Amino acid sequence: MSKKKILLAGIGGLPVVLLGGAFAARKRFNRMVDEEVEALFEKVEKDVRKISQADLEGLPDAVRRWLGNSGIMERGDIKAVRLRQNAEMRLAEDKPWMPVRAEQYFIPHQPGFIWKADIRMAPFIHISGRDKYDDARGNMLIRVLSMFTVADSSGPEIDQGTMLRYLAETIWFPSAALNDYIIWKNIDENNAEATMTYGDISSTAVFTFNSEGDPTHFEAEHYGEFGETRLETWAIPLRSYREFEGVRVPTEGEVIWKLDAGDFNWFNFEVVEIEYDNPHPYQ
């Protein structure tokens, strides 16, 4: 076999030249996201803000119970978050689950996040994903082999969706619930409505808590792509609680579209690491 044919034979059916290009493209993609994270963390507030019982006045009882149980009263206000997830996702009911490794970064006071994911589609074939919410705007970027862009989505529906994602994920940094951009409304003993308004976008969701104060469920009307872009019910059941740096949070959950045709569970996650107030990208 000629040298050229050996090079093109590759591994797992992919040419070696393409695999080499994918390796270099992944490094470039990761460097690009790291630069976005550094720019996000430049907005971190330097002032240390205390949390007192007075901050909880006027909140629904379920939210007061959550914040009291979370440990945030003792730990204090969180200014930056970084975490790692192991997950799995699928694109449709009849599609296989794909393993996902992800890292995510948040700032609570000027609300924003960046989520970077490495998705294994098949042996030697990966997808690089980056979801971002910053300055009230969202963007989803997806590249096969880190090279071929299959989605670079933005616009009002993406803005609303990324805002809702941010709101749902405040469960990992509960002091964010005290920011002025979130208004709470009591529903009953275990449920509270949260309306987040930032920039020119507003979104509303319902948080459910158990009797101890742990978040157990999040639900909202979220834009999704189902042949057409439309609002559907987006639900996140939560479980498995653990403390990270003195803050008690749920570590496992599912992401489900509740459709007329039935529930579509498309994403399952486990948070394996959280660090607070360390505003730097993982290396």
Side-chain angles (χ1 to χ4, degrees):
M1 183 181 291
S2 70
K3 183 176 180 180
K4 181 177 181 181
K5 288 182 178 179
I6 292 173
L7 281 173
L8 291 177
I11 303 171
L14 287 177
V16 170
V17 172
L18 184 58
L19 288 170
F23 178 78
R26 179 182 281 179
K27 290 184 68 174
R28 289 194 300 271
F29 185 90
N30 289 339
R31 185 165 58 248
M32 176 199 74
V33 177
D34 284 349
E35 289 172 357
E36 292 181 332
V37 171
E38 289 167 354
L40 185 76
F41 279 153
E42 285 178 1
K43 302 177 183 180
V44 169
E45 292 193 357
K46 303 299 188 291
D47 294 340
V48 176
R49 294 196 274 179
K50 302 283 187 180
I51 299 176
S52 70
Q53 289 296 325
D55 294 312
L56 307 188
E57 291 180 4
L59 293 175
D61 288 346
V63 177
R64 292 165 62 96
R65 195 166 66 243
W66 168 38
L67 297 178
N69 179 64
S70 71
I72 205 67
M73 304 299 294
E74 294 77 21
R75 195 198 183 284
D77 194 32
I78 292 170
K79 300 184 292 297
V81 186
R82 68 180 191 177
L83 60 81
R84 286 187 165 123
Q85 295 174 333
N86 292 332
E88 59 179 1
M89 67 175 294
R90 57 181 176 173
L91 302 178
E93 289 275 9
D94 59 348
K95 300 296 183 183
W97 288 99
M98 299 180 289
V100 179
R101 291 189 179 274
E103 55 192 51
Q104 193 164 6
Y105 307 88
F106 300 89
I107 57 171
H109 297 129
Q110 299 180 52
F113 73 78
I114 291 173
W115 180 77
K116 180 177 73 174
D118 189 80
I119 304 159
R120 187 157 62 86
M121 190 175 182
F124 308 107
I125 302 177
H126 75 275
I127 300 170
S128 291
R130 194 271 286 124
D131 200 11
K132 180 169 72 170
Y133 173 66
D134 187 22
D135 287 334
R137 295 291 177 260
N139 177 253
M140 169 59 83
L141 178 64
I142 300 172
R143 290 178 180 168
V144 175
L145 296 176
S146 303
M147 291 189 290
F148 306 110
T149 300
V150 295
D152 188 359
S153 303
S154 58
E157 292 85 2
I158 299 295
D159 298 340
Q160 186 261 11
T162 50
M163 171 182 277
L164 276 174
R165 177 172 181 172
Y166 172 87
L167 181 59
E169 293 172 343
T170 58
I171 55 170
W172 295 320
F173 45 105
S175 61
L178 298 171
N179 282 300
D180 291 342
Y181 53 75
I182 300 177
I183 302 298
W184 293 94
K185 179 181 176 182
N186 184 65
I187 297 177
D188 57 34
E189 182 181 357
N190 293 318
N191 294 277
E193 181 183 274
T195 297
M196 178 172 172
T197 303
Y198 198 77
D200 56 355
I201 303 291
S202 184
S203 296
T204 297
V206 174
F207 286 79
T208 301
F209 306 91
N210 62 22
S211 58
E212 286 75 39
D214 293 317
T216 60
H217 196 84
F218 176 93
E219 192 164 301
E221 295 301 299
H222 188 303
Y223 281 104
E225 182 59 46
F226 305 96
E228 60 176 352
T229 302
R230 65 174 187 263
L231 285 169
E232 292 287 356
T233 301
W234 188 65
I236 308 175
L238 300 160
R239 62 184 180 274
S240 299
Y241 303 89
R242 177 181 166 189
E243 281 193 9
F244 294 93
E245 299 183 5
V247 181
R248 180 176 170 85
V249 301
T251 60
E252 295 182 29
E254 305 165 5
V255 184
I256 298 170
W257 288 107
K258 301 181 79 65
L259 308 172
D260 289 343
D263 291 356
F264 172 39
N265 170 211
W266 69 278
F267 192 83
N268 301 318
F269 63 84
E270 179 186 11
V271 174
V272 296
E273 177 182 329
I274 303 180
E275 291 182 69
Y276 299 112
D277 298 333
N278 186 0
H280 305 284
Y282 284 112
Q283 299 301 315

